[in-house]
Amino acid sequence: MSRHFQRAILVLTLFNGATTSAEQAINFNRDIRPIFAAKCFPCHGPDEETREADLRMDIREAAIDHGAITAGQPDESEFIRRILSDDPEEIMPPPQANDLLSDQQKQLLIAWVEQGAPYLKHWAFVSPTRPTVPQTPNTNWPNNEIDHFVYSRLASEGLAPSPPADKYTLVRRVYLDLIGLPPTPEEADAFVKDQDPSAYGTLVDKLLQSKHYGERWARNWLDLARYADTNGYEKDRERKIWPYRDWVIRALNEDLPFDQFTIAQIAGDMLPNPTQDQLIATGFHRNTMLNEEGGIDPLEYRFYAMVDRVATVGSIWLGLSTGCAQCHTHKYDPITHTDYYRLFALLNNADEPDFVIKSQDILANRHELQERIRQLEVNLPNQFPPIEGNGPAPQRRQQNLANQFSEWLKLSRQKALVWNPLLPNSMKTNLPRLELLDDGSIFSTGDITKRDQFTLRFQRDKSARPITAIRLEVLPDDRLPAGGPGRAYYEGRKGDFFLSEIDARLDGQPIEFKSPSRSYGKIAIGSGNANAENVLDDKGSTGWSTAQREGEPHQLVLNLVTPITSADPLEVDLLFERHFAASLGRFRFSATASSRDAKANSLPVEIEALLTRSDEELNEEEHHILKKYFLSVTPKLTEARKPIEALKKRLPAFPTTMVMRERQPDNPRQTFRHHRGEYLSPKEEVAPDLPTFLSVPSDTEPSNRLEFAQWLVSQNNPLVARVAVNRAWQAMFGTGLQRTSDDFGSQTDLPTHPQLLDWLACQFVEDGWSLKQLHRLIVNSATYRQRSRLTPQLRHQDPANDLLARGPRYRVPAEMVRDMMLHSSGLLSAKMYGPGVKPPQPQSVTAVAYGNPKWDPSPGEDRYRRSLYTFIKRTAPFAAYAVFDAPTGENCVARRDRSNTPLQALTLLNDEMYLEMSRALARTASDRDLSDQETATFIFRHLLTRPPTDKELSAIVKYYQTQLSRLETQPLQVSQITHDNEATQQRAAWTMVARSLMNLDEAITKP
């Protein structure tokens, strides 16, 4: 068969029965792009590394210039010739691809070329415009615009909407969707009996104002934010980031507009005068995993954290698989390899400190305790023991205090030395940035490594006094992890440092030290002392550290074998070499000209400086400072100070959380393109910018994190509103209008209702980016309120509910399963916020994790708190949630899997916490002195909301009586089942009923 005849047959087949040119028109995005994406782009797409024959089929001009397409002339188009060829050397796709075109696909391609081969920009990359709402002949069904779009699609498929759901079904559905908890029987009955036409709308408004709304919707966002309470990887230590989770809950409850919600999380620290909440919000990108293994390069794993952040932003705000371009140009979407690293650079200029949260309640508590401490300190002189003798006790006490203070001054002054600050005139490092502060101390910022080296150069004045010893002070600072003085950021070592070696040179010649000493020293791991001699032994594995005393100043003193008397330049090298990054964060050098060997002491340097001066040289305030210090250390007041020490221990600590802080403009971090995505293969430097296909006019292109965040939620981003409303739809209906909610790229199918998606996106922005208004719009629609029954016709025509001919029905998320049961059993705690808690689970779950950590269930009401607050350990996720497909927090998850396995039924039947809930529900029901039928109804309705049918009620009572008979003949099993020596056999039997009803599909399914 000739190629021309073959083409004619295919075209005739394609248009067989067509009556108008409009019906014959080929839509590129609908008909052609999916074929190209699947069959052509892998070899003829954006990625130049895998492109064959230098042919690009994703760009019309390139395909025409290459000769592959001759618009309007299929016979002259090389790619048509290739797809119709029988020659295995020429046919496309090649036979070895095992992905040949179907006749229907060939027909479409021929007709498309014949119509001029028009290309269209991918639909998702074109900003949405508000479509005209279709007119619906059935004027009684639609409640709002959503329904007109849905009805129009149903009518085109020859279908009609399902009838409305009954009121018990609807009230349970909307409770679960808006607050994640079922209604009580009383709440359900009140709604069912309310005949007011506005009752449903009133209920929706009430639920949107509930504090539980933020808890329900925060869980969805935390999936995206990859939230967890541990760092991940091997050691998977605990981290403090729960304030971020609490911020999300509050922001959602307050209906913070989604654009502000976005900007705060990506760049809240860069806003003018950022609030505490805006800083906490930047914990969003601190949710990335953190590797604390000893052999890793911290900069390498920082690179991988940035890779995660780019992929996460791509999923959440762009709906694109941006991570595919880490190693090469995206094979399907127009994101080049360089584009990826430009996007990377927009996020790559932040430091990652901890932030101290000074809440008002803690501030008030501390103020009260500090005032009590101050009063006790003021009263210390009155508790000084009096000297023996006659006379009034107050005078003898005053005399003894004066004597003791005078003696202490005399002895202390004999030991005190004059130290003069050494101010460097140059500072060099391998990577960190050193800044000289006003007090002569040096502050370190920027990135650190496992082997940092600081070189300080001091140019001394010719008239300066000789130097006989050098003192290094390590100083705390609130900007450092755990208050410093070090920059180690790993849990258990935060604020630590490890100084391996100190070397010094005078005019290039080595200086020899002697008699080193330190005020305190301890190795981070174990109980070994970090002796001062370690910094002079030429061994990188030994050194000085002040572990477990973070937030305190300490000092190291080195005496010189030969005093320095010249004005030659002095250079000092500090080497920090450890299996984890641990260089100093704030420190200060000073020198003394003492004729005797200097020694480090525990005296605060400010006190020692005052002690070097005579009484005549001290003013009244300085004298008072010395006396106050004396009272804080004298053995004469040891007992009197115990109440003060007890109060100091009671001072509540401020919680901390992980945040982002943009670097100073004079210290930017460079970003490079990494060949094949390898950390060790940096190539040319790249500047922050958007992917080319999303670029906007140059005067508005983002160049930093804040501008990027603002662009993400601007009209210049065609994706964000669509992606956001699609996720809301997915949460309500189980799947989105765009089925791949994390990928709106060219490889995906078209949305089921593209016009509805664009209308919702436009409406979302017009409504001020209000998530509550979006949710209100959806749940008020007739589409949402349909019955969810799957009829034989719908099973045949629309089994997946793509056409929305019925209401949503699917198994609820893992955490909601537990929350529903807690609520139904009466155990659910209303307590909100705070650190993660631990419900009961087998110890074997965490036994597999590093270090075999114990899982000790939280006491009191924390045991029964909402699942949102459950402690999430990445390497050993909570088993009862994992069974129901909850994520681990290791990656951004836009779509949870939804499986149905026997293990889920076994969990509901046998897990300790579900047994506890069934016992609680049975106890509440059986203690109400009801009949068997009434007790069965009580349990049924608390778990399923609706009243049972007569048949169901009969079956439940019969099952109860069977269990009761079995228990009466085997009384030993009562305690085994209930774990309650006081439980009656009836209560045990009702426990079995509750367990069985909890395990019904209906109990864990949104109706």
Side-chain angles (χ1 to χ4, degrees), residues 786-889:
Q786 293 176 99
R787 185 180 68 189
S788 60
R789 180 184 170 194
L790 181 61
T791 64
Q793 181 187 15
L794 291 179
R795 185 184 298 275
H796 173 71
Q797 260 185 282
D798 188 25
N801 202 25
D802 290 338
L803 302 177
L804 301 171
R806 55 188 172 90
R809 181 181 175 87
Y810 54 89
R811 195 256 297 154
V812 299
E815 297 85 352
M816 199 180 294
V817 171
R818 176 174 173 269
D819 292 344
M820 291 166 63
M821 302 307 174
L822 276 172
H823 184 268
S824 299
S825 67
L827 292 175
L828 181 65
S829 165
K831 181 179 176 182
M832 298 178 69
Y833 312 125
V837 296
K838 297 180 179 179
Q841 75 169 348
Q843 290 291 340
S844 57
V845 175
T846 54
V848 299
Y850 176 87
N852 186 19
K854 290 185 177 181
W855 183 274
D856 296 324
S858 299
E861 69 172 322
D862 282 349
R863 182 185 184 97
Y864 309 113
R865 292 190 63 193
R866 192 156 182 176
S867 301
L868 177 73
Y869 303 109
T870 298
F871 185 89
I872 301 174
K873 186 170 180 62
R874 282 179 161 127
T875 56
F878 193 68
Y881 302 159
V883 166
F884 286 96
D885 310 307
T888 63

Side-chain angles (χ1 to χ4, degrees), residues 68-115:
I69 295 176
T70 302
Q73 302 181 53
D75 293 340
E76 303 300 323
S77 299
E78 177 66 13
F79 103 95
I80 296 294
R81 188 183 74 80
R82 291 293 191 100
I83 67 174
L84 297 178
S85 175
D86 295 326
D87 186 343
E89 298 296 324
E90 289 191 334
I91 188 172
M92 288 293 162
Q96 60 268 27
N98 294 319
D99 197 18
L100 301 180
L101 293 167
S102 68
D103 285 347
Q104 176 72 11
Q105 289 170 327
K106 293 176 183 178
Q107 295 161 13
L108 286 168
L109 292 172
I110 293 168
W112 171 67
V113 173
E114 198 161 56
Q115 293 178 12

Side-chain angles (χ1 to χ4, degrees), residues 378-414:
V378 169
N379 193 47
L380 279 177
N382 297 326
Q383 300 189 55
F384 210 85
I387 59 173
E388 294 183 1
N390 299 321
Q395 284 85 349
R396 289 188 288 117
R397 178 178 290 110
Q398 202 65 18
Q399 183 62 50
N400 195 23
L401 173 57
N403 294 343
Q404 294 290 333
F405 178 50
S406 177
E407 183 65 21
W408 176 81
L409 281 175
K410 178 181 177 182
L411 294 174
S412 299
R413 281 171 171 159
Q414 292 174 358

Side-chain angles (χ1 to χ4, degrees), residues 923-944:
R923 182 186 308 114
T924 302
S926 59
D927 287 352
R928 295 173 68 88
D929 193 25
L930 303 173
S931 67
D932 289 352
Q933 287 78 8
E934 290 170 329
T935 303
T937 300
F938 182 92
I939 295 174
F940 185 96
R941 294 210 58 196
H942 275 76
L943 291 170
L944 303 178

Side-chain angles (χ1 to χ4, degrees), residues 903-928:
L903 188 55
Q904 294 169 354
L906 291 170
T907 298
L908 287 172
L909 279 172
N910 300 313
D911 188 281
E912 178 186 350
M913 65 179 181
Y914 287 115
L915 285 172
E916 186 175 8
M917 295 175 208
S918 64
R919 288 194 294 271
L921 180 55
R923 182 186 308 114
T924 302
S926 59
D927 287 352
R928 295 173 68 88

Side-chain angles (χ1 to χ4, degrees), residues 1 3-16 80 83-84 102-108 110-111:
M1 182 185 297
R3 178 163 60 90
H4 297 292
F5 185 70
Q6 182 183 9
R7 181 178 69 79
I9 294 296
L10 290 171
V11 173
L12 284 172
T13 302
L14 174 64
F15 295 127
N16 184 30
I80 296 294
I83 67 174
L84 297 178
S102 68
D103 285 347
Q104 176 72 11
Q105 289 170 327
K106 293 176 183 178
Q107 295 161 13
L108 286 168
I110 293 168

